[in-house]
Amino acid sequence: VPAPFFSSAVLAGFTLLELADDPAAAEILEGVATGATIATLALDEGDGAWDPARVTVTAHREGSSYRLAGRKPQVLDGTVAEQILVVARLDGAPALFAAPSSSVKRKQLRTLDPTRRQARIDLNDAPAQLLGPDDATATLATALDRARVVLAAEQLGVARRCLEMTVEYAGLRFQFGRPIGSFQAVRHGLADM
């Protein structure tokens, strides 16, 4: 389903859940939980590492607020999210910021999987609000571990459904007057799957 479930409820949701003591994070989490707000996590910077220690987007204080500079080249559901949780370097450590979508420049990307929409997010002096502590390393580690479990379960479900569809097709498709599922090579392939 091309819906922002994984980006909003899982990536952003688990991250916000770790910061539920922070009033701003709790407010965004409430919107995500009710479905009123679509959020996403902007962590990866194009190398596929999803490692907070490698973040190059920077944050700087401006009085009591913050400004973000840099680019997140691949943000899941970045064009539909109202709140973008940006991981940026603050005083040498990765920190988490909430940036409203109106404060960033977004460009839809073409992807191989159209159910996983992605966008490039440009943060040109974008205003943002710090969520949680100045160092979000532990928060992100826990949230990403939980997200990996959900993603693995989703992929297992997809693989299982593909197998079910293949077995069904092997019983419906006929060749040489017999269902192709009756051929030894096809049966062995299905058994291996």
Side-chain angles (χ1 to χ4, degrees):
V1 174
F5 175 78
F6 187 75
S7 61
S8 192
V10 177
L11 285 173
F14 281 144
T15 303
L16 293 165
L17 193 59
E18 288 299 304
L19 301 171
D21 293 340
D22 182 298
E27 183 179 333
I28 298 169
L29 179 60
E30 182 179 338
V32 169
T34 63
T37 302
I38 297 172
T40 190
L41 179 65
L43 169 58
D44 184 55
E45 295 194 359
D47 61 0
W50 283 76
D51 182 359
R54 295 169 71 167
V55 168
T56 61
V57 168
T58 58
H60 64 275
R61 287 181 179 87
E62 193 173 87
S64 61
S65 61
Y66 295 86
R67 296 281 181 170
L68 304 176
R71 173 181 282 173
K72 297 291 185 177
Q74 295 173 304
V75 178
L76 194 59
D77 293 311
T79 56
V80 296
E82 293 122 356
Q83 286 288 337
I84 301 170
L85 307 181
V86 179
V87 181
R89 191 154 300 286
L90 177 67
D91 300 329
L96 190 67
F97 296 87
S101 61
S102 59
S103 69
V104 302
K105 184 178 177 189
R106 307 183 286 181
K107 181 181 186 316
Q108 181 77 34
L109 302 175
R110 293 183 68 195
T111 59
L112 181 62
D113 179 357
T115 67
R116 296 274 196 224
R117 295 174 294 200
Q118 294 185 26
R120 183 180 72 222
I121 306 291
D122 290 310
L123 305 151
N124 299 322
D125 204 34
Q129 180 177 14
L130 178 66
L131 299 176
D134 288 355
D135 186 346
T137 303
T139 296
L140 291 165
T142 301
L144 290 174
D145 281 348
R146 291 180 177 156
R148 287 179 186 107
V149 171
V150 173
L151 184 60
E154 180 184 83
Q155 296 304 309
L156 180 61
V158 168
R160 183 179 192 145
R161 181 64 184 132
C162 288
L163 176 59
E164 290 168 358
M165 291 168 57
T166 303
V167 169
E168 181 183 344
Y169 179 76
L172 297 174
R173 172 81 159 90
F174 277 73
Q175 187 67 39
F176 307 112
R178 297 178 15 203
I180 63 170
S182 68
F183 297 125
Q184 185 177 21
V186 174
R187 278 198 320 259
H188 288 199
L190 292 174
D192 287 345
M193 284 196 296

